[in-house]
Amino acid sequence: MSLVKLNIKGISYSQTQNGAYALILNEVDGDRKLPIVIGAFEAQSIAIALEKEIKPPRPLTHDLFKNFADRFEIVVKQVIIHKLVDGVFYSSIICERDRIEEIIDARTSDAIALALRFNAPIFTYKNILDKAGIYLKFNADDKENEDEPDEVLVNEIITNEPETNSSSDSYKDYTLKELNSMLDGAVLNEDYEKAARIRDEISRRENK
Protein backbone atom coordinates (compact mmCIF):
# COMPACT_ATOMS: atom_id res chain seq x y z
CA MET A 1 0.00 0.00 0.00
CA SER A 2 1.30 3.44 -0.90
CA LEU A 3 2.07 6.00 1.79
CA VAL A 4 0.85 9.60 1.69
CA LYS A 5 2.81 12.32 3.48
CA LEU A 6 0.90 14.65 5.78
CA ASN A 7 1.61 18.07 7.25
CA ILE A 8 0.04 19.57 10.35
CA LYS A 9 -2.34 22.34 9.32
CA GLY A 10 -3.39 23.32 12.81
CA ILE A 11 -5.74 22.65 15.70
CA SER A 12 -9.44 23.44 15.63
CA TYR A 13 -11.11 24.16 18.95
CA SER A 14 -14.35 22.40 19.71
CA GLN A 15 -17.36 24.66 20.10
CA THR A 16 -19.59 21.80 21.22
CA GLN A 17 -17.60 19.74 23.71
CA ASN A 18 -15.29 20.88 26.49
CA GLY A 19 -11.81 19.41 26.33
CA ALA A 20 -12.12 18.18 22.72
CA TYR A 21 -10.02 19.42 19.81
CA ALA A 22 -9.53 18.42 16.20
CA LEU A 23 -5.98 18.03 14.92
CA ILE A 24 -6.00 18.92 11.21
CA LEU A 25 -3.55 17.04 9.00
CA ASN A 26 -3.12 18.16 5.41
CA GLU A 27 -2.23 15.97 2.44
CA VAL A 28 1.10 17.28 1.08
CA ASP A 29 0.39 16.65 -2.60
CA GLY A 30 -3.38 17.08 -2.55
CA ASP A 31 -6.35 19.01 -1.21
CA ARG A 32 -7.61 16.61 1.44
CA LYS A 33 -7.55 17.19 5.17
CA LEU A 34 -7.60 14.49 7.83
CA PRO A 35 -9.19 15.73 11.08
CA ILE A 36 -8.51 13.65 14.19
CA VAL A 37 -10.27 14.33 17.48
CA ILE A 38 -7.79 14.55 20.38
CA GLY A 39 -7.82 15.48 24.05
CA ALA A 40 -6.75 18.77 25.58
CA PHE A 41 -3.42 17.58 27.02
CA GLU A 42 -2.33 16.21 23.64
CA ALA A 43 -3.55 19.37 21.89
CA GLN A 44 -1.51 21.48 24.29
CA SER A 45 1.61 19.40 23.73
CA ILE A 46 1.26 19.58 19.93
CA ALA A 47 0.49 23.31 20.06
CA ILE A 48 3.61 24.03 22.12
CA ALA A 49 5.74 22.06 19.66
CA LEU A 50 4.23 24.02 16.77
CA GLU A 51 4.84 27.38 18.41
CA LYS A 52 8.60 26.70 18.76
CA GLU A 53 9.28 29.82 20.84
CA ILE A 54 7.28 28.62 23.84
CA LYS A 55 9.33 26.64 26.35
CA PRO A 56 7.52 25.19 29.39
CA PRO A 57 9.39 25.75 32.68
CA ARG A 58 9.44 21.98 33.15
CA PRO A 59 9.38 19.35 30.38
CA LEU A 60 6.02 17.96 29.32
CA THR A 61 5.66 14.19 28.96
CA HIS A 62 6.57 14.28 25.27
CA ASP A 63 9.56 16.53 25.99
CA LEU A 64 10.69 14.06 28.64
CA PHE A 65 10.46 11.23 26.11
CA LYS A 66 12.53 13.30 23.66
CA ASN A 67 15.20 14.01 26.30
CA PHE A 68 15.26 10.33 27.28
CA ALA A 69 15.58 9.24 23.66
CA ASP A 70 18.36 11.74 22.98
CA ARG A 71 20.31 10.52 26.01
CA PHE A 72 20.18 6.93 24.78
CA GLU A 73 20.63 7.85 21.11
CA ILE A 74 17.17 6.75 20.00
CA VAL A 75 15.85 8.54 16.92
CA VAL A 76 12.25 8.70 15.73
CA LYS A 77 12.49 8.28 11.96
CA GLN A 78 8.82 8.57 11.01
CA VAL A 79 5.24 8.15 12.17
CA ILE A 80 2.66 6.13 10.23
CA ILE A 81 -1.09 6.29 10.81
CA HIS A 82 -1.67 2.73 9.71
CA LYS A 83 -5.23 1.78 10.66
CA LEU A 84 -8.71 3.23 11.15
CA VAL A 85 -11.28 1.10 12.99
CA ASP A 86 -14.66 2.40 14.19
CA GLY A 87 -13.45 5.99 14.07
CA VAL A 88 -10.23 5.29 16.01
CA PHE A 89 -6.89 5.91 14.32
CA TYR A 90 -3.95 3.62 15.11
CA SER A 91 -0.37 4.73 14.64
CA SER A 92 3.18 3.40 14.75
CA ILE A 93 6.39 5.17 15.66
CA ILE A 94 9.38 4.00 13.63
CA CYS A 95 12.51 4.31 15.80
CA GLU A 96 16.16 3.56 15.26
CA ARG A 97 19.10 2.93 17.61
CA ASP A 98 22.51 1.60 16.61
CA ARG A 99 21.11 1.08 13.09
CA ILE A 100 18.45 -1.27 14.45
CA GLU A 101 14.88 -0.29 13.58
CA GLU A 102 11.97 -0.83 15.96
CA ILE A 103 8.24 -0.25 15.49
CA ILE A 104 6.27 0.97 18.52
CA ASP A 105 2.47 1.22 18.73
CA ALA A 106 1.16 4.58 19.92
CA ARG A 107 -1.91 6.75 20.07
CA THR A 108 -1.95 9.01 17.05
CA SER A 109 -1.84 12.19 19.13
CA ASP A 110 1.21 10.97 21.07
CA ALA A 111 2.93 9.83 17.89
CA ILE A 112 2.42 13.22 16.22
CA ALA A 113 3.54 15.13 19.32
CA LEU A 114 6.79 13.14 19.20
CA ALA A 115 7.16 13.48 15.42
CA LEU A 116 7.16 17.26 15.84
CA ARG A 117 9.89 17.10 18.47
CA PHE A 118 12.08 14.84 16.31
CA ASN A 119 11.27 16.68 13.05
CA ALA A 120 10.08 13.32 11.75
CA PRO A 121 7.69 13.02 8.78
CA ILE A 122 4.10 11.85 9.25
CA PHE A 123 2.47 9.42 6.82
CA THR A 124 -0.76 7.53 6.37
CA TYR A 125 -1.83 4.92 3.85
CA LYS A 126 -3.72 6.01 0.77
CA ASN A 127 -6.72 3.81 1.60
CA ILE A 128 -7.11 5.53 4.99
CA LEU A 129 -6.99 8.97 3.41
CA ASP A 130 -9.46 7.84 0.73
CA LYS A 131 -11.80 6.70 3.48
CA ALA A 132 -11.44 9.47 6.08
CA GLY A 133 -10.02 12.46 4.21
CA ILE A 134 -12.17 15.53 3.66
CA TYR A 135 -11.93 17.54 0.45
CA LEU A 136 -11.81 21.31 0.77
CA LYS A 137 -11.57 24.01 -1.86
CA PHE A 138 -8.63 26.40 -1.63
CA ASN A 139 -8.20 29.89 -2.95
CA ALA A 140 -4.86 31.20 -4.20
CA ASP A 141 -3.81 32.56 -0.80
CA ASP A 142 -4.54 29.22 0.86
CA LYS A 143 -2.33 27.42 -1.63
CA GLU A 144 0.56 29.77 -0.90
CA ASN A 145 0.28 29.24 2.85
CA GLU A 146 -0.86 25.65 3.17
CA ASP A 147 2.58 24.48 4.39
CA GLU A 148 2.35 26.86 7.35
CA PRO A 149 0.39 25.64 10.38
CA ASP A 150 -2.66 27.64 11.40
CA GLU A 151 -2.26 29.88 14.44
CA VAL A 152 -2.63 27.96 17.66
CA LEU A 153 -3.47 29.81 20.87
CA VAL A 154 -1.73 27.70 23.49
CA ASN A 155 -3.07 29.65 26.45
CA GLU A 156 -6.62 28.64 25.56
CA ILE A 157 -5.76 24.95 26.02
CA ILE A 158 -5.99 24.62 29.78
CA THR A 159 -8.07 21.53 30.55
CA ASN A 160 -6.85 17.95 30.77
CA GLU A 161 -9.34 15.52 29.27
CA PRO A 162 -8.51 12.08 27.86
CA GLU A 163 -8.19 11.58 24.12
CA THR A 164 -11.35 10.43 22.40
CA ASN A 165 -11.72 9.36 18.78
CA SER A 166 -15.00 7.50 19.13
CA SER A 167 -18.17 8.54 17.36
CA SER A 168 -20.54 10.69 19.32
CA ASP A 169 -23.82 9.13 20.46
CA SER A 170 -25.55 12.34 19.38
CA TYR A 171 -25.32 11.19 15.74
CA LYS A 172 -26.57 7.64 16.12
CA ASP A 173 -30.21 8.48 15.31
CA TYR A 174 -29.46 10.14 11.96
CA THR A 175 -29.61 8.36 8.61
CA LEU A 176 -26.50 8.08 6.43
CA LYS A 177 -27.98 10.61 4.01
CA GLU A 178 -28.52 13.08 6.84
CA LEU A 179 -25.03 12.45 8.21
CA ASN A 180 -23.43 13.11 4.82
CA SER A 181 -25.39 16.33 4.51
CA MET A 182 -24.29 17.36 8.03
CA LEU A 183 -20.69 16.48 7.13
CA ASP A 184 -20.82 18.82 4.13
CA GLY A 185 -22.17 21.60 6.35
CA ALA A 186 -19.50 21.09 9.01
CA VAL A 187 -16.74 21.19 6.39
CA LEU A 188 -18.22 24.33 4.84
CA ASN A 189 -18.23 25.99 8.28
CA GLU A 190 -14.69 24.72 8.99
CA ASP A 191 -15.94 22.97 12.14
CA TYR A 192 -13.37 20.19 11.88
CA GLU A 193 -14.09 18.66 15.26
CA LYS A 194 -17.74 18.16 14.32
CA ALA A 195 -16.78 16.96 10.84
CA ALA A 196 -14.42 14.38 12.33
CA ARG A 197 -17.10 12.98 14.62
CA ILE A 198 -19.69 12.78 11.85
CA ARG A 199 -17.19 11.12 9.53
CA ASP A 200 -16.28 8.61 12.26
CA GLU A 201 -19.96 7.71 12.72
CA ILE A 202 -20.33 7.21 8.96
CA SER A 203 -17.21 5.04 8.93
CA ARG A 204 -18.45 2.98 11.86
CA ARG A 205 -21.73 2.19 10.08
CA GLU A 206 -20.08 1.37 6.77
CA ASN A 207 -17.81 -1.14 8.51
CA LYS A 208 -20.68 -3.09 10.04
Side-chain angles (χ1 to χ4, degrees), residues 157-171:
I157 306 177
I158 56 175
T159 58
N160 186 9
E161 297 290 332
E163 178 180 8
T164 172
N165 287 54
S166 59
S167 300
S168 172
D169 288 341
S170 60
Y171 300 117

PDB file of all heavy atoms in Angstrom, residues 157-171:
ATOM      1  N   ILE A 157      -5.694  26.389  25.771  1.00  0.00           N
ATOM      2  CA  ILE A 157      -5.759  24.952  26.021  1.00  0.00           C
ATOM      3  C   ILE A 157      -5.358  24.719  27.476  1.00  0.00           C
ATOM      4  O   ILE A 157      -4.184  24.636  27.802  1.00  0.00           O
ATOM      5  CB  ILE A 157      -4.832  24.176  25.077  1.00  0.00           C
ATOM      6  CG1 ILE A 157      -5.146  24.544  23.639  1.00  0.00           C
ATOM      7  CG2 ILE A 157      -4.966  22.683  25.285  1.00  0.00           C
ATOM      8  CD1 ILE A 157      -4.236  23.892  22.633  1.00  0.00           C
ATOM      9  N   ILE A 158      -6.317  24.646  28.367  1.00  0.00           N
ATOM     10  CA  ILE A 158      -5.994  24.620  29.784  1.00  0.00           C
ATOM     11  C   ILE A 158      -6.577  23.411  30.509  1.00  0.00           C
ATOM     12  O   ILE A 158      -6.207  23.142  31.637  1.00  0.00           O
ATOM     13  CB  ILE A 158      -6.520  25.902  30.485  1.00  0.00           C
ATOM     14  CG1 ILE A 158      -8.029  26.059  30.248  1.00  0.00           C
ATOM     15  CG2 ILE A 158      -5.784  27.121  29.981  1.00  0.00           C
ATOM     16  CD1 ILE A 158      -8.648  27.217  30.985  1.00  0.00           C
ATOM     17  N   THR A 159      -7.484  22.679  29.888  1.00  0.00           N
ATOM     18  CA  THR A 159      -8.073  21.532  30.553  1.00  0.00           C
ATOM     19  C   THR A 159      -7.273  20.283  30.275  1.00  0.00           C
ATOM     20  O   THR A 159      -6.363  20.288  29.463  1.00  0.00           O
ATOM     21  CB  THR A 159      -9.521  21.317  30.083  1.00  0.00           C
ATOM     22  OG1 THR A 159      -9.511  21.143  28.665  1.00  0.00           O
ATOM     23  CG2 THR A 159     -10.397  22.499  30.440  1.00  0.00           C
ATOM     24  N   ASN A 160      -7.605  19.199  30.936  1.00  0.00           N
ATOM     25  CA  ASN A 160      -6.854  17.954  30.766  1.00  0.00           C
ATOM     26  C   ASN A 160      -7.822  16.795  30.688  1.00  0.00           C
ATOM     27  O   ASN A 160      -8.100  16.122  31.671  1.00  0.00           O
ATOM     28  CB  ASN A 160      -5.891  17.763  31.938  1.00  0.00           C
ATOM     29  CG  ASN A 160      -4.992  16.562  31.725  1.00  0.00           C
ATOM     30  OD1 ASN A 160      -4.966  15.976  30.650  1.00  0.00           O
ATOM     31  ND2 ASN A 160      -4.253  16.193  32.739  1.00  0.00           N
ATOM     32  N   GLU A 161      -8.378  16.589  29.507  1.00  0.00           N
ATOM     33  CA  GLU A 161      -9.343  15.523  29.275  1.00  0.00           C
ATOM     34  C   GLU A 161      -8.680  14.417  28.477  1.00  0.00           C
ATOM     35  O   GLU A 161      -7.775  14.669  27.685  1.00  0.00           O
ATOM     36  CB  GLU A 161     -10.552  16.051  28.499  1.00  0.00           C
ATOM     37  CG  GLU A 161     -11.343  17.111  29.257  1.00  0.00           C
ATOM     38  CD  GLU A 161     -12.091  16.561  30.428  1.00  0.00           C
ATOM     39  OE1 GLU A 161     -12.440  15.367  30.379  1.00  0.00           O
ATOM     40  OE2 GLU A 161     -12.322  17.300  31.406  1.00  0.00           O
ATOM     41  N   PRO A 162      -9.112  13.165  28.627  1.00  0.00           N
ATOM     42  CA  PRO A 162      -8.510  12.080  27.858  1.00  0.00           C
ATOM     43  C   PRO A 162      -8.852  12.177  26.390  1.00  0.00           C
ATOM     44  O   PRO A 162      -9.861  12.756  26.009  1.00  0.00           O
ATOM     45  CB  PRO A 162      -9.137  10.820  28.477  1.00  0.00           C
ATOM     46  CG  PRO A 162     -10.427  11.295  29.053  1.00  0.00           C
ATOM     47  CD  PRO A 162     -10.162  12.696  29.531  1.00  0.00           C
ATOM     48  N   GLU A 163      -7.958  11.599  25.563  1.00  0.00           N
ATOM     49  CA  GLU A 163      -8.193  11.580  24.122  1.00  0.00           C
ATOM     50  C   GLU A 163      -9.402  10.742  23.802  1.00  0.00           C
ATOM     51  O   GLU A 163      -9.646   9.710  24.401  1.00  0.00           O
ATOM     52  CB  GLU A 163      -6.962  11.003  23.400  1.00  0.00           C
ATOM     53  CG  GLU A 163      -7.158  10.911  21.895  1.00  0.00           C
ATOM     54  CD  GLU A 163      -5.935  10.341  21.206  1.00  0.00           C
ATOM     55  OE1 GLU A 163      -5.013   9.893  21.897  1.00  0.00           O
ATOM     56  OE2 GLU A 163      -5.910  10.339  19.971  1.00  0.00           O
ATOM     57  N   THR A 164     -10.195  11.223  22.831  1.00  0.00           N
ATOM     58  CA  THR A 164     -11.347  10.435  22.395  1.00  0.00           C
ATOM     59  C   THR A 164     -11.478  10.532  20.898  1.00  0.00           C
ATOM     60  O   THR A 164     -11.528  11.620  20.354  1.00  0.00           O
ATOM     61  CB  THR A 164     -12.655  10.903  23.060  1.00  0.00           C
ATOM     62  OG1 THR A 164     -13.742  10.210  22.455  1.00  0.00           O
ATOM     63  CG2 THR A 164     -12.890  12.386  22.952  1.00  0.00           C
ATOM     64  N   ASN A 165     -11.524   9.397  20.225  1.00  0.00           N
ATOM     65  CA  ASN A 165     -11.722   9.362  18.781  1.00  0.00           C
ATOM     66  C   ASN A 165     -13.022   8.667  18.421  1.00  0.00           C
ATOM     67  O   ASN A 165     -13.325   8.455  17.265  1.00  0.00           O
ATOM     68  CB  ASN A 165     -10.569   8.611  18.101  1.00  0.00           C
ATOM     69  CG  ASN A 165      -9.307   9.420  18.104  1.00  0.00           C
ATOM     70  OD1 ASN A 165      -8.854   9.884  19.146  1.00  0.00           O
ATOM     71  ND2 ASN A 165      -8.725   9.584  16.935  1.00  0.00           N
ATOM     72  N   SER A 166     -13.798   8.276  19.398  1.00  0.00           N
ATOM     73  CA  SER A 166     -15.004   7.504  19.128  1.00  0.00           C
ATOM     74  C   SER A 166     -16.115   8.390  18.605  1.00  0.00           C
ATOM     75  O   SER A 166     -16.155   9.588  18.847  1.00  0.00           O
ATOM     76  CB  SER A 166     -15.465   6.810  20.410  1.00  0.00           C
ATOM     77  OG  SER A 166     -15.727   7.758  21.411  1.00  0.00           O
ATOM     78  N   SER A 167     -17.043   7.804  17.903  1.00  0.00           N
ATOM     79  CA  SER A 167     -18.168   8.544  17.359  1.00  0.00           C
ATOM     80  C   SER A 167     -19.095   8.990  18.473  1.00  0.00           C
ATOM     81  O   SER A 167     -19.301   8.306  19.453  1.00  0.00           O
ATOM     82  CB  SER A 167     -18.938   7.657  16.373  1.00  0.00           C
ATOM     83  OG  SER A 167     -18.110   7.263  15.321  1.00  0.00           O
ATOM     84  N   SER A 168     -19.649  10.164  18.304  1.00  0.00           N
ATOM     85  CA  SER A 168     -20.544  10.694  19.316  1.00  0.00           C
ATOM     86  C   SER A 168     -21.908  10.026  19.238  1.00  0.00           C
ATOM     87  O   SER A 168     -22.444   9.793  18.159  1.00  0.00           O
ATOM     88  CB  SER A 168     -20.695  12.208  19.130  1.00  0.00           C
ATOM     89  OG  SER A 168     -21.695  12.726  19.967  1.00  0.00           O
ATOM     90  N   ASP A 169     -22.487   9.732  20.428  1.00  0.00           N
ATOM     91  CA  ASP A 169     -23.815   9.133  20.462  1.00  0.00           C
ATOM     92  C   ASP A 169     -24.872  10.071  19.897  1.00  0.00           C
ATOM     93  O   ASP A 169     -25.954   9.634  19.514  1.00  0.00           O
ATOM     94  CB  ASP A 169     -24.184   8.763  21.904  1.00  0.00           C
ATOM     95  CG  ASP A 169     -23.392   7.564  22.394  1.00  0.00           C
ATOM     96  OD1 ASP A 169     -22.859   6.829  21.540  1.00  0.00           O
ATOM     97  OD2 ASP A 169     -23.290   7.378  23.620  1.00  0.00           O
ATOM     98  N   SER A 170     -24.555  11.378  19.853  1.00  0.00           N
ATOM     99  CA  SER A 170     -25.552  12.337  19.383  1.00  0.00           C
ATOM    100  C   SER A 170     -25.880  12.169  17.909  1.00  0.00           C
ATOM    101  O   SER A 170     -26.857  12.731  17.420  1.00  0.00           O
ATOM    102  CB  SER A 170     -25.056  13.769  19.635  1.00  0.00           C
ATOM    103  OG  SER A 170     -23.847  14.001  18.943  1.00  0.00           O
ATOM    104  N   TYR A 171     -25.080  11.372  17.167  1.00  0.00           N
ATOM    105  CA  TYR A 171     -25.322  11.194  15.743  1.00  0.00           C
ATOM    106  C   TYR A 171     -25.916   9.833  15.403  1.00  0.00           C
ATOM    107  O   TYR A 171     -26.168   9.545  14.234  1.00  0.00           O
ATOM    108  CB  TYR A 171     -24.010  11.381  14.962  1.00  0.00           C
ATOM    109  CG  TYR A 171     -23.401  12.745  15.137  1.00  0.00           C
ATOM    110  CD1 TYR A 171     -22.153  12.893  15.736  1.00  0.00           C
ATOM    111  CD2 TYR A 171     -24.069  13.889  14.721  1.00  0.00           C
ATOM    112  CE1 TYR A 171     -21.598  14.150  15.913  1.00  0.00           C
ATOM    113  CE2 TYR A 171     -23.515  15.146  14.886  1.00  0.00           C
ATOM    114  CZ  TYR A 171     -22.276  15.264  15.489  1.00  0.00           C
ATOM    115  OH  TYR A 171     -21.730  16.505  15.655  1.00  0.00           O
TER     116      TYR A 171
END
